[in-house]
Amino acid sequence: MQRRVVFVVFDGFQLLDLAGPADVFAAATLVARADGYGIEVTASRAGAVTANTGITVAAPTAIGDVTGEIDTLVVVGGLSVAGHLPDPVLTGQIARLSGLARRTASVCNGALLLAEAGLLAGRRATTHWLAAADLARYPQVAVDADRIYQRDGDVWTSAGVTAGIDLALALVADDHGGRLARDVARGLVVYLHRPGGQSQFSAAMRARGTAPDESMRELLAYIDSSPGDDLSVPALARRAGLSERHFARVFAERTGLPPGRYVERSRAEAARRLLETTDHPLDRIARETGIGAPETLFRVFRRLWRVAPGEYRRRFATH
């Protein structure tokens, strides 16, 4: 039998929060067929619901009329979420449907609706980075705004907008394994989902985007392209023509990360790419990326992405 997926929408919702995950579930159904997904859309009232783009979608059933077992409940987000938080009927019905569901998920700031419904109390959750402070106002929620998605038991939350696609791929992988999730990702021409949650943006993207001058951007590009080189603070300071103390201060001010932490993240991401695209043994990957030893590679992966390198490769290798 197909798994029943119910999306909760509302006026002003983010269209991609619905369309992205729905396309993932639909693509998985093409492959899994009888063991795929049946998609339903519901809202406070039955009928047309207008997204933030002005496009309308049909909600055949009012949320109060939805009954029966649900496999996955997905609450979307959007700029209008704040206006819907005071609606006790909507949040009450979300809580009721969650009780009927095997698992509950939110996309983007839809996490605020889950929190308002009391579904995130005592749980770790993520959301769009712009909404992280709003989610943190719920004192019983442990907010981790640096994740693409977060799973805490039977409740899943995701970061902003397109991260809903990563979330849906994670749900498919949880149901059917990594191979089907990879096939779906390739079919939709999106990046493979990362396991266990990871930074919303890579260290390189964050730092390059905030570095205000060309010399710093060039230095960051050098670090990212040369993970096996000597990237110690003394070596980088010499390359930048600064004293070590001044370099460390300037680097942190301009990128938001201490140089050692940036180098570690950059090397870990280089190792992640090699795990995805090569058959190199772990000791070679650790050596070529400047991480050193397989034991260090393991510790870095567990700390940053909460997964062992070998498990990451088994689930997400593309070669």
Side-chain angles (χ1 to χ4, degrees):
M1 295 179 62
Q2 289 195 330
R3 302 169 187 262
R4 185 187 186 194
V5 181
V6 176
F7 284 88
V8 177
V9 301
F10 41 82
D11 285 331
F13 75 94
Q14 180 82 34
L15 184 61
L16 192 53
D17 287 6
L18 167 65
D23 270 346
V24 170
F25 290 127
T29 302
L30 289 176
V31 179
R33 298 184 182 277
D35 197 25
Y37 301 88
I39 299 170
E40 302 175 21
V41 178
T42 188
S44 293
R45 64 184 185 281
V49 183
T50 304
N52 62 316
T53 58
I55 295 173
T56 59
V57 301
T61 307
I63 192 170
D65 296 330
V66 176
T67 59
E69 293 183 358
I70 298 170
D71 182 81
T72 306
L73 176 69
V74 183
V75 178
V76 304
L79 293 177
S80 67
V81 159
H84 294 284
L85 292 176
D87 182 353
V89 175
L90 177 61
T91 55
Q93 289 295 333
I94 288 173
R96 182 184 69 85
L97 293 191
S98 180
L100 301 176
R102 178 174 67 91
R103 62 189 175 194
T104 299
S106 65
V107 181
C108 196
N109 63 346
L112 296 174
L113 288 167
L114 294 191
E116 191 67 25
L119 299 173
L120 297 183
R123 295 184 185 273
R124 182 169 294 278
T126 192
T127 186
H128 193 296
W129 61 271
L130 283 172
D134 294 326
L135 187 58
R137 293 193 180 102
Y138 295 88
Q140 291 183 303
V141 182
V143 181
D144 191 342
D146 207 32
R147 298 288 182 186
I148 283 184
Y149 78 86
Q150 179 72 52
R151 179 184 186 178
D152 190 328
D154 58 358
V155 176
W156 303 59
T157 52
S158 84
V161 196
T162 57
I165 295 173
D166 296 86
L167 172 68
L169 286 168
L171 295 172
V172 169
D174 190 56
D175 294 338
H176 299 283
R179 183 178 297 277
L180 178 60
R182 288 196 299 272
D183 290 343
V184 171
R186 291 191 187 102
L188 294 178
V189 197
V190 296
Y191 287 112
L192 291 177
H193 167 70
R194 310 306 178 194
Q198 68 168 24
S199 295
Q200 205 168 327
F201 302 100
S202 70
M205 292 295 289
R206 281 202 309 273
R208 287 189 201 176
T210 56
D213 58 69
E214 185 61 28
S215 62
M216 183 59 70
R217 286 193 290 270
E218 289 178 356
L219 180 64
L220 298 180
Y222 161 70
I223 293 172
D224 297 331
S225 63
S226 310
D229 287 3
D230 180 2
L231 301 180
S232 64
V233 169
L236 293 175
R238 287 194 300 271
R239 191 177 186 89
L242 301 172
S243 70
E244 293 179 26
R245 177 176 296 182
H246 186 53
F247 168 75
R249 180 178 60 79
V250 169
F251 190 99
E253 287 177 352
R254 295 182 182 179
T255 69
L257 292 171
R261 185 177 301 174
Y262 181 92
V263 168
E264 180 186 67
R265 295 295 295 265
S266 180
R267 283 172 164 166
E269 288 171 2
R272 183 164 50 81
R273 290 191 295 271
L274 289 177
L275 287 169
E276 292 177 359
T277 59
T278 75
D279 290 317
H280 297 343
L282 296 185
D283 60 345
R284 177 177 173 180
I285 290 176
R287 184 175 64 255
E288 290 185 355
T289 58
I291 290 175
E295 295 80 8
T296 307
L297 180 68
F298 179 88
R299 289 196 298 271
V300 169
F301 263 63
R302 292 295 299 178
R303 184 171 67 255
L304 294 181
W305 296 305
R306 301 182 184 181
V307 65
E311 176 63 19
Y312 183 93
R313 167 174 274 166
R314 283 191 291 272
R315 295 178 61 188
F316 296 97
T318 61
H319 56 281

